[in-house]
Amino acid sequence: MYVPQPSRSDAAGRDAGDQPRVYQVWRGSNEFFLRGRFIFGPDVRSIFLTMFLIVAPVVAFCVFVARHLIDDFPGDWGISVMVVVVVFTVYDLTLLLLTSGRDPGIIPRNTHPPEPEGFDGSNDSGVQTPQQLRLPRTKDVIVNGISVRIKYCDTCMLYRPPRCSHCSICNNCVERFDHHCPWVGQCIGLRNYRFFYMFVFSTTLLCLYVFAFCWVYIIKIRNAESLSVWKAMLKTPASIVLIIYCFLCVWFVGGLSVFHCYLMSTNQTTYENFRYRYDRRANPYNRGVLNNFLEIFCSRIPPSKNNFRARVTVEQGLQQTRVASRGFMSPNMGKPVGDLEMGRKPVPWDEPRTAADIRDLEAGLGGFLDEKEGRLTHASPDLSRDDLPADLMKGRAGTHSRRSSWVNRTGTSESVDSMNAQIIAAWEAIQSDPVH
C-alpha cells in the first residue's frame, strides 16, 4: 500500500489532504469508479455485455410487440404492457449495479503475519526456533457447537474466518464467499448475495414476461386474420426471435434461480456445495428452511470493513514499512504457493515476499546477536578490537561472516531447509562464542 517519503518529519508535516485515498493504493485487483464510491472486479467490462443482453431484447419487444398491443386491450391496459416492462428492466439493472458495484465483504489485509496463539515472546534458550517462527497452516474453531477448520491466507496474512475464501480473480479474502460471477464482474459474498439472487430471479421473471406477451401478440394476429399459428408467427418474426431468446435464457437464469433457492434453504454457498462439505457431516449454519431464508433476505447487511474513500494517514503508511519484531514465518514460506480452494496452480515463490519474510527472521534473530555483541563491546570502556586476543577476534569474525552471508542471500529463493540450516549455524556460532 502507501509508502511514505524517506524523511519521516517531512511526511508528518504534510497536510492530511495530500495523502492518497485507500482506493488509490488498493492492493487487490478491483476497479474503482466515482472516486471510490463503486468497487468492481477486474472483469468489470462484462457488465456492459450483461446490460446489452437485457436491454436489447426489451427494446425489440417495445418496438415490435408492445407498441402493437397498446390498442388491443381495453382502457389503459395496453399502455401498461410497455410501462411494466420498462420499469421492470430499470429495476433489474439497478439490482445488477447493487450486486457488482459494492463491497461483497472484503476482509482488510494484515500488514504482517499474526502472532501464534500462546506465544509469550520468550523461551528457555532466549531465541525463537524455526518451529516457533512458523505459523500453523490451519486452525479449528467452534461454530454452533461444531468444529470448523479455517485456513491461513498467505496473501492477506490472516486466518480466514469461517465460510471465507480468497478469490484468485479479485485477489481478496471475501466473507461468506459464494463464487466469482463473470456476468456481474464481481465476487458474490456476504454483502451482495441478496442482491445477486434478486437480480437473477428478476431477470427470470423479465424473460417470462417477454416470452408470454410475444405469444399473446401471435394469438392476437391469428384471431384477427383467421390464420394458423405458424402463419401468424411468420407475420411477426421479431416475436419468434424473442421467444427463442427468452426460452434459452430461462433455462440459464431460471435454473440458476432454482439452484440458489435450494442453497438458501439449506444455508450453503456455491463454493461449499461444489466441494461436498456437508455430505457426510452436519452443516453448522443450517437453522431450518424458514430461518435460512430470513437470514438472507431479512437480516441487516453488515457495514463494509473498508473505507475506500478515507485518507491514508502517515501512521498507516509507516506501518507498511515496519518489520514485525517477532519475525513469524508464513505457513507456506519457501514452498510453491497456490490456492487449492480456488483451483489455482502453484506458482514459484515470490522473491520480493521472500526477502521481506527473511528480514523478519533476521529481525527476530538479529536482536539476540546484537545483544551478544553489545555485552562484548560494553564489557570495558577501554576494550577495543585491537586489544582483543587473536583467537577471540577470529571467532567473532566467523560469526559475522556467517551472519553476513545469511543476510546477503535474503533476495534469493532458497528452500526452507536451507534457511533453517543457516539459522541453526548462526545459533551454533553463538553457543561456541568464548564470551558466551
Side-chain angles (χ1 to χ4, degrees), residues 413-430:
S413 56
E414 297 177 335
S415 66
V416 66
D417 295 334
S418 177
M419 288 184 295
N420 290 342
Q422 294 294 333
I423 297 173
I424 295 172
W427 173 240
E428 290 176 351
I430 296 172

Side-chain angles (χ1 to χ4, degrees), residues 128-174:
Q128 301 166 12
T129 63
Q131 290 75 16
Q132 289 174 318
L133 293 172
R134 186 175 300 279
L135 293 167
R137 180 65 180 141
T138 60
K139 292 197 307 184
D140 291 331
V141 297
I142 303 300
V143 178
N144 296 328
I146 299 177
S147 178
V148 176
R149 178 162 296 180
I150 60 176
K151 297 182 179 181
Y152 182 84
C153 178
D154 298 279
T155 303
C156 300
M157 292 188 289
L158 52 82
Y159 283 98
R160 303 168 187 165
R163 314 193 88 176
C164 173
S165 183
H166 190 92
C167 176
S168 60
I169 300 176
C170 294
N171 196 23
N172 295 312
C173 277
V174 180

